[in-house]
Amino acid sequence: MILKISFYAIVLYLSVIVYCHLQYPELRWNWENISTDKILFPSTFIWGTATAAHQVEGNCVNNWSEFEKGSKDDGQPNIKDNQQSGIASDHWNRYPEDIKLIKELGVSHYRFSVEWSKIQPAQDTFNQDALDHYSRMIDMLLENNITPVLTLHHFTHPLWFDKLGAFEKEENISIFISFCEKVFHEYSHKVEYWCTINEPAVVATQGYFSGMFPPGKKDSQLSAEVLKNLLDAHVQVYHSLKKMENGPKVKIGLVKNINQFEPWRRWHILDWIISKAVNHFFNDSAIDYLRTGIFKIRIPGLAWIYHENPNATNSMDYFGLNYYSHNHLKFQLSLKEPFTMEFRDEDTMTDMPYTIYGEGLYRAIESVSALDVPIMITENGIADAEDSRRELYIKRYLYAVSKAIKDGYDVIGYFYWSLMDNFEWAFGDDMKFGLFSVDFETQERSLRDGSKAYIQIVKNEN
Ligand code: GCO
């Protein structure tokens, strides 16, 4: 009897593993046989580069600047080596110079975010100087034939909003909507592309699950609720702005980071279960919500949530896809840290804890195509202080985009992250994502050699 049960158990185990293995392959291309030297794009393709206010502007007083001063329970500083964003890349003052850099790249679009805490320093006060500042910057972009792409929320919010509980509370969504309406009222006649919220799943998981981002909490159920509220905020902002003057004319999208989570050991059921659960939380819950209007996360013992919002199914004119890499997860018996991230020796690392994996961008495009709206790659780029892998990264990831377009996916644009070196959140200034390096002592900007590959591809002459 025991033998029989063991036999069936083994057969069942093997069947599940074989099914998962075939159903969810980890795409790998043979790059030796692929020529990335001649990648051409449609002439209508949108080329851009991106930044976010807190990372480049300097002198922000918000939930992040507060977090930068603190440390974790174990005494470790919240930001690597206690770094603070400070004046960052001083983009607030140097934007005219930076617009010249954008021109030098030959791109036609610039994605940036407005800093909510500067525009609305108190709940009942809008700062006209800050509004005028962004207005001048938008005008200068337009004078230089660069189309502005404006992000309304990129990880930061004012401290007064934080004190109210930020996106932990559903009732705070209306406060965010009022801010968005104000900004839209000011600029919608001259800004064609709008991003509502940047990477809700990153805000929810890093802020409330891993504790790496503010508010540094570790509460998986709250993390799921914050994710639901952020997604609902996107849906409500979309519909509110669409009803305003210029609403029907402009394009409004959500920006979502897709990061595939794969089992480290493809024969190990627990690695499959943990990577499926993390994918379900981080990627699928949001995509399914936007597709069906139903938001659900069901991970026993971690997070359990069900929510319906029929307005979610038509809440995007385009999907903003951020893509950097994938992660391999290895299960471990610990409630505090149920998995570790692993890397293969043969993989090329970036300076961030992830590898170069161009195939992943193709897979991400494939997975979000289910939403049936145009896809804009709103962020993709490499942290590479030595500048030894930037060219390879650019060519591989853009090869993946060009292949996706050839295969019929509706990808309309690509924004390289980032225009210049900046404050990379919990990693501080050490991560060099810039096409232009920034010397933080002198604020001098210089084009990196590896970035020339991007300029060549944008020119469509590579
Ligand atoms: C994000 C943010 C950016 C980051 C970039 C590099 O994706 O986390 O949108 O602000 O700087 O992704 O990590």
Side-chain angles (χ1 to χ4, degrees):
M1 184 65 178
I2 290 180
L3 255 179
K4 221 173 175 184
I5 294 176
S6 313
F7 173 76
Y8 284 123
I10 291 170
V11 170
L12 181 68
Y13 185 91
L14 290 176
S15 321
V16 173
I17 293 288
V18 170
Y19 172 82
C20 288
H21 189 78
L22 297 174
Q23 186 71 11
Y24 310 105
E26 188 187 308
L27 187 63
R28 290 272 170 179
W29 292 333
N30 185 354
W31 290 100
E32 306 271 301
N33 297 336
I34 293 175
S35 162
T36 55
D37 283 334
K38 197 116 204 93
I39 348 175
L40 296 175
F41 284 83
S43 57
T44 51
F45 196 70
I46 292 172
W47 291 106
T49 186
T51 61
H54 185 84
Q55 296 180 272
V56 291
E57 278 183 358
N59 300 323
C60 297
V61 181
N62 54 32
N63 58 328
W64 262 93
S65 62
E66 209 45 33
F67 184 71
E68 288 161 20
K69 298 180 208 154
S71 50
K72 302 187 208 308
D73 295 343
D74 60 4
Q76 289 298 314
N78 283 335
I79 313 297
K80 188 168 170 271
D81 303 332
N82 260 318
Q83 299 179 70
Q84 295 191 18
S85 50
I87 68 158
S89 328
D90 195 26
H91 186 55
W92 182 264
N93 296 308
R94 292 171 196 260
Y95 73 84
E97 183 188 333
D98 294 336
I99 290 176
K100 290 196 189 115
L101 305 183
I102 302 173
K103 291 288 297 176
E104 206 177 315
L105 297 174
V107 299
S108 56
H109 288 59
Y110 177 47
R111 175 174 174 237
F112 62 95
S113 70
V114 292
E115 177 55 37
W116 182 2
S117 61
K118 286 182 179 164
I119 292 181
Q120 198 175 1
Q123 192 172 357
D124 55 1
T125 321
F126 284 101
N127 179 340
Q128 196 52 46
D129 286 349
L131 286 165
D132 291 346
H133 169 91
Y134 290 115
S135 186
R136 282 193 302 275
M137 185 168 109
I138 292 166
D139 289 344
M140 191 174 282
L141 287 166
L142 292 170
E143 282 154 22
N144 282 280
N145 291 321
I146 297 164
T147 305
V149 178
L150 190 155
T151 305
L152 288 158
H153 186 278
H154 196 126
F155 291 178
T156 57
H157 49 244
L159 286 171
W160 58 262
F161 185 69
D162 212 52
K163 291 206 180 85
L164 293 175
F167 291 102
E168 289 175 29
K169 298 206 179 117
E170 201 179 315
E171 62 264 31
N172 290 343
I173 294 176
S174 59
I175 302 174
F176 177 60
I177 297 177
S178 310
F179 160 71
C180 295
E181 286 175 343
K182 174 75 178 168
V183 176
F184 197 78
H185 174 76
E186 294 283 322
Y187 311 131
S188 62
H189 59 291
K190 48 190 182 186
V191 174
E192 191 187 332
Y193 284 93
W194 293 76
C195 307
T196 54
I197 296 179
N198 183 71
E199 301 188 351
V202 172
V203 176
T205 55
Q206 303 281 69
Y208 296 86
F209 189 77
S210 73
M212 270 182 70
F213 280 14
K217 295 189 181 173
K218 290 185 178 180
D219 176 341
S220 46
Q221 180 62 27
L222 182 60
S223 173
E225 272 154 31
V226 169
L227 178 55
K228 181 213 88 185
N229 289 341
L230 285 164
L231 290 170
D232 259 359
H234 155 75
V235 172
Q236 293 182 39
V237 168
Y238 176 86
H239 290 290
S240 309
L241 302 188
K242 278 286 160 186
K243 284 192 203 106
M244 291 175 66
E245 198 183 347
N246 302 315
K249 281 200 292 208
V250 304
K251 309 252 185 302
I252 307 174
L254 171 74
V255 172
K256 162 101 188 79
N257 181 355
I258 298 289
N259 183 356
Q260 296 104 6
F261 296 94
E262 326 251 20
W264 171 243
R265 298 162 294 189
R266 291 186 70 83
W267 48 266
H268 202 302
I269 196 81
L270 294 174
D271 286 9
W272 276 105
I273 291 174
I274 199 80
S275 52
K276 283 269 142 220
V278 179
N279 265 312
H280 166 58
F281 196 118
F282 192 88
N283 298 313
D284 304 341
S285 63
I287 303 297
D288 290 346
Y289 173 65
L290 297 166
R291 207 169 42 81
T292 63
I294 295 173
F295 179 82
K296 55 175 192 281
I297 292 183
R298 286 173 172 162
I299 310 177
L302 267 182
W304 200 267
I305 194 164
Y306 182 92
H307 166 71
E308 284 178 30
N309 182 354
N311 294 333
T313 55
N314 63 337
S315 66
M316 281 177 304
D317 300 322
Y318 69 92
F319 182 86
L321 169 62
N322 289 0
Y323 187 84
Y324 291 90
S325 190
H326 65 165
N327 289 101
H328 287 105
L329 306 188
K330 184 179 177 191
F331 174 83
Q332 65 178 18
L333 209 59
S334 150
L335 262 184
K336 255 177 96 190
E337 220 185 308
F339 57 83
T340 55
M341 304 255 197
E342 306 290 331
F343 305 99
R344 295 204 179 112
D345 288 345
E346 66 271 26
D347 281 339
T348 309
M349 294 301 293
T350 69
D351 291 351
M352 290 287 278
Y354 42 72
T355 63
I356 296 186
Y357 181 56
E359 297 91 321
L361 179 50
Y362 184 91
R363 285 171 67 189
I365 292 169
E366 204 172 30
S367 64
V368 303
S369 68
L371 291 168
D372 220 13
V373 289
I375 301 163
M376 181 97 92
I377 317 288
T378 33
E379 274 180 43
N380 176 237
I382 182 173
D384 176 16
E386 284 176 1
D387 197 32
S388 55
R389 293 143 292 168
R390 190 166 274 101
E391 179 179 342
L392 178 85
Y393 185 99
I394 290 172
K395 288 185 168 173
R396 286 201 177 170
Y397 282 73
L398 279 170
Y399 168 80
V401 179
S402 73
K403 178 168 163 52
I405 296 173
K406 218 180 280 161
D407 293 349
Y409 293 107
D410 189 11
V411 187
I412 57 170
Y414 176 94
F415 289 72
Y416 190 85
W417 183 272
S418 176
L419 170 62
M420 59 194 161
D421 291 344
N422 54 48
F423 180 77
E424 175 55 31
W425 308 114
F427 291 91
D429 289 341
D430 297 353
M431 292 297 156
K432 308 295 184 191
F433 273 95
L435 289 168
F436 289 89
S437 66
V438 175
D439 176 333
F440 288 108
E441 295 290 312
T442 62
Q443 289 296 340
E444 198 186 322
R445 283 95 159 111
S446 352
L447 183 70
R448 288 202 161 92
D449 257 353
S451 313
K452 293 178 184 157
Y454 188 50
I455 299 182
Q456 283 305 110
I457 296 173
V458 171
K459 274 195 192 146
N460 231 357
E461 284 172 2
N462 57 305

